[in-house]
Structure formats: C-alpha cells, structure tokens
Amino acid sequence: MHQATAQFKKWVSVSHPAPQSNVRLACFPYAGGSASFFFPVSKALHPSVEVLALQYPGRQTRLHEPRIDNIPEFADQIFAALRHLDDKPLALFGHSMGAVLAYEVALRTQDAGLPAPVRLFASGRRAPSRYGGERVHTGSDAEVVAELRKLSGTNEMLLGDPEVLAMILPAIRSDYTAIERYRHEPGRRLDCPVTVLTGDSDPRVSLDEAEAWAEHTTGACETEVFRGGHFFLVDHITEVIGLVARRLGPF
C-alpha cells in the first residue's frame, strides 16, 4: 500500500479533499496542461465531489521528471496511481489529449476486473478511432507555438517569453508526440456512459468526430455542444461544471 500511496501522490493533486463526498472525479489535462487547470472545478464541486487532478511529469511540481511520449505508458502509470480507489464511485473527465488518456485508463480498469467508471466526460477531442493527421510534434518551436496560438489555450504572455517557452515547450512537444502517434485498439469498448463536450468552432474536432464517441461504449452517449473553439470550456466553465454536477449526482 505504501507504494500505491506514493504513486498516487506523485500523479494526483487534490486541492479540496472531500472525504465525505459520494463520488470522485479524476481530471486529465490537455497536451501541455497541468493539474492547476482544474482548480476551479475542484473548488466548485467541493464537497459533494472530490476532484483528483492528474499532474503529468515534466511540468510544475514534476518539472524535472522524465516526460512520457506515448499514450499506453501514460495510461498504465495513471491507472496504477488510481486503481486502489475502490471505496466510492469514480468518474473521469479529460480535455483534448486528456480525453484519450481517460478512455485508456477506463479500459484498463475494465481489463483488471474492477468496477467501470460511472461516467466518462470526453471534452474537446475527436473519438479515439478518428485521426486528424496532425504532425505538430515534428515541427519547429515556432510551429509548435503557432499551433498553441491557433487553439487559444495558452496565455499569450507566456508564448512571448523565451525563458518560459524554453521551460514549457519540451513537455508540450512530448505530449503532442504521444497523442499524435496514438492509435486505438479496434473492437475495444467501454461499459460506461459517456458525455461528450465539444466546441462548435473547434478547428480540431468536427461534430461528427465528437459524436463518434458513441462507437466506443456499450453505454449511453450524449453530445453537448458549446459555443467556442478548442478551449470552449474556459469561457463556459460555469456551464460545464453545472453539467458535470448534474450527471454525477446524486449517488
């Protein structure tokens, strides 16, 4: 158990512990993202939902740890960090790359014979079987920055600071390598309901690609469309949190 606890603490940030909560929500950041992105979600859902924000290596508190550049290893390590949480229901929320990671962790949960997540929230990402052909990870630093600007998810002040860029670009490039090389395993399906969240002007996800998540579960699948681009949830955080709260309560 000591090893499991150490793995959990390394991977998971719990800003608002909620031991009396009825359900936990594990939140998976986007490529280049970090656990702090989900602080507002954690604060808003406390104390009825305990939010577990995943912290990937190579950033913030894990800045100097080796980065992971493939989805299977990512998912294996995250599953190992979460698998002992069997005392209450667990839901998963992932944005962009995080949605694919959440999906893969859910599959590993099923493979281990553990209870399936009570719901997967897949935000800002095409279905696992849909590929866009992007090769951002092979581009120059300037091309990576151009992609970040296109998606409007990174503070412009950070993108204009060479010292900050030198610190954050390695993790961003590693994450892009992982998600752009990802290929799903055909025939695999979840056994839980899926709520898909997508922006109506996301340059990386069409409505058809978002709705294709229904092909990846035996459970119900719904698609909620918001106004905005790839980071629609920043502008609609209150509505997103409300949707999550409704879908998770009561247990």
Side-chain angles (χ1 to χ4, degrees), residues 128-141:
S129 56
R130 303 297 193 268
Y131 308 113
E134 296 93 355
R135 301 283 296 173
V136 176
H137 73 278
T138 65
S140 65
D141 287 353

Side-chain angles (χ1 to χ4, degrees), residues 60-72:
Q60 289 191 339
T61 56
R62 304 184 67 187
L63 179 63
H64 301 294
E65 293 185 36
R67 297 176 295 276
I68 300 174
D69 65 0
N70 70 90
I71 294 297

Side-chain angles (χ1 to χ4, degrees), residues 120-157:
L120 168 64
F121 296 91
S123 172
R125 182 68 193 178
R126 63 180 78 97
S129 56
R130 303 297 193 268
Y131 308 113
E134 296 93 355
R135 301 283 296 173
V136 176
H137 73 278
T138 65
S140 65
D141 287 353
E143 289 169 328
V144 174
V145 171
E147 172 71 6
L148 298 178
R149 285 197 169 104
K150 181 176 183 178
L151 299 182
S152 303
T154 307
N155 188 303
E156 185 63 33
M157 290 182 63

